[in-house]
Amino acid sequence: MPSTSSSPAAVPGAPSTLWRDRDFRRLWVGQTVSQLGEHTSLVVLPLFAVLTLHAGAGQLGALRAVEQAPILPLSLFVGAWVDRWRPRALMVPADAGRALALAAVAVAGLLGGLGLPALFVGALAVGALSVFFDVAYQASLVRLVARDHLVRGNSALEGSRSAAQIGGPALGGALVTALSAPIAAAAGALFFTLSFLSIRRIGRRESVPERPAHPPRIGRHIHEGLRFVAGDPTLRAVCLASAAFQFFFSAVTTCCLLFLPRQLRLPGTVVGSVLAAAGPGALLGSLLAARLPGRFGRGAVLLSAAALGDGAFLLVPALHGSPAVTVPALLAVNVVFGTCGQLVNVTLMAVRQAVTPDGMQGRAAATINFAGMGLTPLGSLLGGFLADAWGTRTGLLVTAAGMLLSPAVMALSPLGRLGRTPPAPPDTPAATGAHDRAR
């Protein structure tokens, strides 16, 4: 099938030459610091609400739901725009906007006006702009890396995300505890500013799919993406598995942010360090994702990693006692979860990119993002409701058990039967027609 992207030779796909490309390095640096800002802010805002403003379980669930809510109305539109425009044209202003939003939160805090309303507004702005960045960067990678090296390209970017997962939560928790929430918010703004400066310096112009004389309306463009994903059994399974995971993981996270400081009585710095333990595991998972799927088969890796990583959270509600016992156990759980979760993420992303024509990449990513991440606000609300109604320990147990629905979906779908070689885009009239129209 003909490609609408620039020639893969523009950025050599071989690992030995990929890192010598200046523009790829700028993308990698921008992605790294952007993720660091995101993971810092994801801990700063909830910890400030719980530890300083004494927010209840329902208020914390609502705060996290507000940050995740823009995924539902924006994802599909952003995906359609990405397939019509250059992805970096959305990534750069998204970083600038997130920097301004967190800077405004920091200023409000320093002036004594950083209460729950300000946190809600800041969380909504950061969440909305994150939708633009996340969808755009996934489509941008396909235009920079040869298709047969997508696993290695994703492994590099996911490795940077792992580094951000290591430093972001620990830094956010330490800044909130030792200094103040405004200083922590200012740190997030600085990271987004650095990402903005790095990505905007990329010199290579991305190709844009040729538009027909009478381009379809954006509603029809979105419908084509929905129909393509829904009509492909592999992508449909990715949607369902992602939706199950994201819904229950969002509920688990809400329960954990209440359980760790209140039931286990861990300070903010320790909570941030425990959450950051997923980072080293994710870094290991990124390295394993470049090797294990090709050796043992993508289906076997997906099923085993998802079951082990998601099941590890069932141990958390059973923890009691002093920090000398609970903290090492929490660190171990998060390392296992980070390793397995990253292995699943990289493998699924490579599968999604491999089976999707170039002119459909943005809409496919947005549709899957919509189906998966779109449920996270409801998951956050569920976590807050269960923690309030049944207690944080019982709520955590129920939501952790729900995470196992994701590997169950994979086992019953084509994902569980994937082999060692990457799948190819379907050669069907629907896929070809959509691809030709995008050209």
Side-chain angles (χ1 to χ4, degrees), residues 382-405:
L382 175 66
F385 172 78
L386 292 180
D388 192 36
W390 296 351
T392 54
R393 194 178 298 275
T394 302
L396 184 55
L397 177 62
V398 172
T399 53
M403 289 176 64
L404 292 175
L405 181 61

Side-chain angles (χ1 to χ4, degrees), residues 32-128:
T32 300
V33 292
S34 178
Q35 290 293 329
L36 188 58
E38 181 175 341
H39 286 285
T40 299
S41 63
L42 286 176
V43 172
V44 167
L45 301 184
L47 281 182
F48 183 83
V50 172
L51 299 176
T52 304
L53 300 180
H54 308 292
Q59 291 173 315
L60 179 62
L63 176 64
R64 299 194 68 248
V66 163
E67 187 172 16
Q68 298 155 343
I71 297 171
L72 279 173
L74 291 181
S75 291
L76 297 179
F77 289 98
V78 174
W81 292 334
V82 166
D83 282 338
R84 293 184 175 192
W85 300 341
R86 293 181 173 88
R88 289 197 300 274
L90 297 179
M91 296 165 65
V92 170
D95 269 336
R98 288 188 290 185
L100 291 175
L102 286 181
V105 169
V107 171
L110 292 172
L111 296 177
L114 186 60
L116 278 177
L119 284 178
F120 272 67
V121 172
L124 179 63
V126 172

Side-chain angles (χ1 to χ4, degrees), residues 270-308:
V270 176
V271 172
S273 299
V274 165
L275 296 177
L283 182 59
L284 175 60
S286 296
L287 298 175
L288 294 177
R291 301 176 181 274
L292 295 187
R295 182 174 181 180
F296 298 104
R298 284 156 173 77
V301 168
L302 285 172
L303 293 182
S304 57
L308 179 60

Side-chain angles (χ1 to χ4, degrees), residues 56-380:
Q59 291 173 315
L60 179 62
L63 176 64
R64 299 194 68 248
V66 163
E67 187 172 16
Q68 298 155 343
I71 297 171
L72 279 173
L74 291 181
S75 291
L76 297 179
F77 289 98
V78 174
W81 292 334
V82 166
D83 282 338
R84 293 184 175 192
W85 300 341
R86 293 181 173 88
R88 289 197 300 274
L90 297 179
M91 296 165 65
V92 170
D95 269 336
R98 288 188 290 185
L100 291 175
L102 286 181
V105 169
V107 171
L110 292 172
L111 296 177
L114 186 60
L116 278 177
L119 284 178
F120 272 67
V121 172
L124 179 63
V126 172
L129 293 168
S130 294
V131 175
F132 285 85
F133 187 91
D134 291 343
V135 173
Y137 105 81
Q138 292 182 49
S140 178
L141 180 65
V142 181
R143 302 185 188 183
L144 291 176
V145 178
R147 186 175 289 270
D148 57 345
H149 289 95
L150 283 174
V151 171
R152 293 189 180 275
N154 279 307
S155 180
L157 289 181
E158 291 300 312
S160 72
R161 187 164 73 93
S162 303
Q165 286 179 322
I166 296 172
L171 178 60
L175 290 175
V176 170
T177 302
L179 299 176
S180 65
I183 298 300
L190 175 61
F191 292 132
F192 287 129
T193 301
L194 294 175
S195 177
F196 162 81
L197 294 174
S198 180
I199 293 176
R200 76 185 298 266
R201 292 181 63 220
I202 295 176
R204 184 180 297 108
R205 290 180 60 84
E206 297 170 302
S207 64
V208 178
E210 297 179 7
R211 300 182 185 180
H214 302 285
R217 294 181 178 180
I218 194 165
R220 181 181 173 187
H221 219 48
I222 292 172
H223 181 261
E224 288 177 353
L226 290 169
R227 185 177 62 181
F228 174 74
V229 173
D232 186 277
T234 300
L235 295 180
R236 188 167 61 242
V238 173
C239 275
L240 294 174
S242 176
F245 171 79
Q246 295 295 348
F247 176 79
F248 284 105
F249 180 64
S250 183
V252 165
T253 301
T254 300
C255 290
C256 278
L257 287 170
L258 294 164
F259 180 73
L260 299 185
R262 292 183 176 174
Q263 293 293 319
L264 299 185
R265 301 190 181 279
L266 301 178
T269 303
V270 176
V271 172
S273 299
V274 165
L275 296 177
L283 182 59
L284 175 60
S286 296
L287 298 175
L288 294 177
R291 301 176 181 274
L292 295 187
R295 182 174 181 180
F296 298 104
R298 284 156 173 77
V301 168
L302 285 172
L303 293 182
S304 57
L308 179 60
D310 296 350
F313 269 102
L314 289 172
L315 301 175
V316 178
L319 295 178
H320 294 80
S322 68
V325 175
T326 58
V327 171
L330 289 169
L331 292 173
V333 166
N334 277 278
V335 168
V336 172
F337 174 74
T339 301
C340 296
Q342 192 74 323
L343 187 53
V344 172
N345 288 342
V346 175
T347 306
L348 280 182
M349 187 178 294
V351 168
R352 189 265 298 167
Q353 291 171 337
V355 302
T356 303
D358 290 345
M360 192 67 70
Q361 287 288 341
R363 283 169 287 172
T367 300
I368 294 173
N369 197 45
F370 174 83
M373 297 297 294
L375 293 178
T376 55
L378 300 179
S380 294

Side-chain angles (χ1 to χ4, degrees), residues 413-427:
S413 74
L415 293 173
R417 299 188 294 273
L418 292 175
R420 298 178 180 178
T421 58
D427 189 14

